[in-house]
Amino acid sequence: MRVGADPEWLISAGRLVTVLFAALAIYLDPTRPAGFLAEAHLLLASYIAFSLWLALTPPRWPLESKLHLIIHGIDLLALGALVYLTDELSSPFFPFLPFILLATTLRWDMLGAVLGAVVMQLLLVALGWQDLQDGESELNLLIMRSAYFLVAAAMLGYFGACRARSSHRFAQLASWYPAPAPTDRRLLLSDMLRHASELLGVSQVLLLWQNQKGSGGTVALWGAGGLRIAEIDDPSFWRARSPKREWKELFRRGDAAELDAIAAAAGWEKLSADPAGVRSAPVGSAGSADRLFVIGSANHHEETQHLTQITALRIGHELERWELIHAIADNARGQERIRLARDLHDSVLQELTAASLKLKAAGMSLPEGARGALDSVASVMAEQQRRIRLFVEGSRDTEAPPVRLLSLSLAQSADELADQWGCDIALSIDPPDMEASGDLHRELRQLLSEATANAVRHGGATRLSVELNQQDDALRLTISDNGCGMVPASGRKPGWPRSLRARIRDLGGRMDIMRYAPGLAMRIEVPLQ
């Protein structure tokens, strides 16, 4: 509808309707105004022409343009003069003055309503001053007219405030652009829930999100203390919140009790929430158990309910996009691993096999005592062949690698690296029974291998200390050696080992150099999953 879509057209149409009704009133009752009939006719004729021009060609000036003030000044003078010419406070045209309040509110929201009310009160005093001084006091009429303007200003001001709040929220929704999905899920959840909290104007936001495989799910709470995340693997918890359960209302007292159950399952303290300030909305599709809870909402308007729904759906879309991006990336990595495994099998592995045969033939022609060095090299080559075969076979296997103890695989890797590089490696794992997937086992072994090679070849280290600890949902690997370390050049810190940095970045982790010299000490953190 054009009126609802264009406030400028509404102002112009309202002005024209106002002046036409004023002309009709004078035409039907020519005795009022009796003393200034000619002046009133001239004023109305001029104001009709002015209103008709603005209705046919409404201005498209920017909001900050001073021309709007000029137009409203003309409205004020025309209607004020008409009231003055027709019995002042008792004028039958007095009800037309609130048009100015409506126009300023539509243009400048709450500020326009306040300024319009102030101008109307000043105009009212100016028009009624003579009536108060002519011996026939109309103080009661002045008070009633003032109350009339104040009530109208309050109602229109509320309308303007609601419109301004809606515009601000739409601007916040528009600023929620689909940014590149970060590899860190914690960062993604923190950004989304913080934005949702600001958009809805609430103190806390809680997200309930079940894994796509249905094996468990995540609970994330954003509040004054930042983001809190808990993984809930209890099947009965998710069965109780299966899609069969009805979630018909956005605003329900039952949501507060549901929050207590979620907090208990996550191992958190009870969430102190007023049931009147709790809302919830489904996240994603209707057949999903995922839900967004907003805590501390003081606004019960229908608009806020719809905004909660829109926000929940947007969070669901962002989470689905993040999972899809990572699924595509995992598939791409899998395809690349298969291609790399094929290339290793067809080139490097075959060449190593040929080199091993040549070493064996060369050793046969040497005396028994001179074969030690060749046997050592052949042993290293045989171990590398074994690793390459394991990598090729693992890349061909489409099933997920089993979960295993880290202490067994890393201890074996440490012993092999110590023999290969002629150094001592002290390994410490806390807790000793820590488990991880086969993929993470392989990545940690590669990190340890690369760090050992760098320490011995470039730093001349003879002893390494390796500590592996679990920090919440991440693993912290600390590696230090007794080599010469990395010496800064020209007062600048040396760059990190490039291959290590690239591998850690692909894992979604981070690396910090704690000591450059003497001896290099680094700390590596990677997600546990």
Side-chain angles (χ1 to χ4, degrees):
M1 183 176 172
R2 189 180 179 189
V3 172
D6 191 350
E8 193 67 49
W9 190 91
L10 177 61
I11 294 174
S12 299
R15 178 185 293 107
L16 183 60
V17 170
T18 297
V19 70
L20 289 178
F21 268 92
L24 179 63
I26 290 182
Y27 174 77
L28 294 178
D29 188 7
T31 60
R32 305 271 309 264
F36 303 98
L37 185 59
E39 291 83 351
H41 285 173
L42 179 61
L43 176 61
L44 279 175
S46 302
Y47 196 41
I48 288 175
F50 175 75
S51 302
L52 188 61
W53 170 64
L54 291 180
L56 295 177
T57 59
R60 297 297 177 187
W61 304 314
L63 179 63
E64 61 273 10
S65 175
K66 295 182 179 179
L67 295 176
H68 291 303
L69 293 176
I70 296 176
I71 289 179
H72 290 310
I74 295 174
D75 293 333
L76 182 66
L77 291 176
L79 293 177
L82 184 61
V83 171
Y84 178 77
L85 294 175
T86 55
D87 290 343
E88 299 155 350
L89 291 179
S90 302
S91 170
F93 304 112
F94 192 89
F96 295 146
L97 285 176
F99 158 74
I100 299 176
L101 269 178
L102 175 63
T104 55
T105 303
L106 285 175
R107 196 179 302 282
W108 296 298
D109 296 323
M110 184 66 177
L111 178 61
V114 173
L115 293 179
V118 171
V119 172
M120 289 296 97
Q121 287 297 323
L122 294 176
L123 179 63
L124 185 62
V125 172
L127 292 175
W129 187 257
Q130 184 177 351
D131 281 346
L132 296 176
Q133 301 295 325
D134 59 5
E136 297 180 2
S137 177
E138 298 184 5
L139 182 59
N140 289 338
L141 187 58
L142 177 63
I143 294 175
M144 294 303 297
R145 297 295 195 190
S146 298
Y148 173 76
F149 278 124
L150 291 176
V151 171
M155 292 170 37
L156 292 174
Y158 174 78
F159 161 75
C162 291
R163 202 168 72 110
R165 183 178 64 249
S166 298
S167 299
H168 177 68
R169 286 178 167 178
F170 279 125
Q172 286 183 301
L173 277 175
S175 67
W176 198 344
Y177 60 92
T183 56
D184 187 358
R185 188 184 61 157
R186 186 181 185 90
L187 179 60
L188 174 72
L189 291 173
S190 178
D191 289 343
M192 289 195 306
L193 297 185
R194 175 187 55 80
H195 196 101
S197 175
E198 295 174 354
L199 176 63
L200 298 172
V202 296
S203 57
Q204 290 179 306
V205 178
L206 185 141
L207 174 67
L208 191 67
W209 181 260
Q210 188 175 14
N211 297 337
Q212 290 184 345
K213 297 181 180 179
S215 57
T218 302
V219 177
L221 174 67
W222 172 266
L227 181 69
R228 299 171 64 184
I229 296 180
E231 302 295 334
I232 301 179
D233 299 325
D234 184 8
S236 61
F237 175 86
W238 296 104
R239 282 197 300 268
R241 290 152 186 84
S242 64
K244 296 180 181 179
R245 180 172 179 176
E246 294 290 338
W247 297 90
K248 292 184 177 179
E249 297 182 5
L250 269 174
F251 174 57
R252 308 180 318 120
R253 296 184 63 87
D255 285 343
E258 181 68 19
L259 285 176
D260 294 337
I262 295 173
W268 298 337
E269 66 276 6
K270 184 177 180 181
L271 297 175
S272 56
D274 180 11
V278 178
R279 301 174 179 276
S280 69
V283 176
S285 60
S288 152
D290 310 324
R291 201 156 188 86
L292 179 73
F293 293 84
V294 295
I295 307 170
S297 175
N299 197 335
H300 301 161
H301 297 293
E302 183 180 358
E303 173 191 334
T304 304
Q305 296 176 350
H306 295 323
L307 189 61
T308 304
Q309 286 181 313
I310 294 172
T311 304
L313 290 175
R314 180 60 188 271
I315 289 177
H317 294 162
E318 287 297 313
L319 287 172
E320 291 174 356
R321 186 174 72 95
W322 184 83
E323 291 184 347
L324 178 61
I325 290 175
H326 281 71
I328 294 174
D330 290 342
N331 182 66
R333 282 193 292 267
Q335 295 296 328
E336 183 62 21
R337 288 180 65 85
I338 293 175
R339 186 192 65 79
L340 179 60
R342 185 170 57 248
D343 292 345
L344 287 174
H345 180 273
D346 295 341
S347 58
V348 178
L349 186 59
Q350 301 299 335
E351 293 174 4
L352 283 175
T353 303
S356 298
L357 293 176
K358 290 181 179 180
L359 281 176
K360 185 176 181 180
M364 295 297 293
S365 62
L366 295 176
E368 187 72 27
R371 296 178 184 177
L374 286 180
D375 290 342
S376 177
V377 174
S379 177
V380 172
M381 294 180 64
E383 175 61 25
Q384 295 303 317
Q385 286 178 281
R386 185 184 69 83
R387 291 188 178 185
I388 292 176
R389 286 193 181 96
L390 289 176
F391 176 79
V392 171
E393 292 173 0
S395 299
R396 291 172 178 172
D397 189 5
T398 57
E399 296 183 0
V403 175
R404 296 179 296 167
L405 286 174
L406 281 170
S407 57
L408 296 178
S409 63
L410 290 186
Q412 181 182 357
S413 295
D415 293 340
E416 294 172 356
L417 291 171
D419 294 339
Q420 177 181 347
W421 294 101
C423 62
D424 295 330
I425 300 179
L427 178 64
S428 171
I429 299 179
D430 183 30
D433 58 348
M434 189 188 312
E435 293 182 339
S437 65
D439 288 337
L440 190 54
H441 275 253
R442 181 173 56 251
E443 295 296 340
L444 290 176
R445 294 177 66 170
Q446 292 294 339
L447 289 174
L448 180 58
S449 176
E450 183 69 19
T452 304
N454 288 338
V456 176
R457 285 190 304 177
H458 303 299
T462 59
R463 186 174 65 257
L464 283 83
S465 175
V466 180
E467 298 179 2
L468 182 65
N469 306 96
Q470 182 174 348
Q471 303 287 331
D472 296 329
D473 55 352
L475 292 180
R476 175 178 293 176
L477 181 64
T478 305
I479 304 174
S480 58
D481 62 65
N482 64 343
C484 64
M486 302 171 64
V487 180
S490 303
R492 308 173 78 181
K493 291 184 178 181
W496 295 347
R498 183 175 302 175
S499 57
L500 278 177
R501 180 176 57 187
R503 185 177 294 275
I504 294 169
R505 183 180 62 246
D506 292 341
L507 290 173
R510 54 175 293 182
M511 180 175 70
D512 296 316
I513 303 296
M514 299 184 297
R515 185 180 70 246
Y516 285 93
L520 186 68
M522 67 180 70
R523 182 172 60 214
I524 301 170
E525 292 185 3
V526 296
L528 185 57
Q529 297 181 352

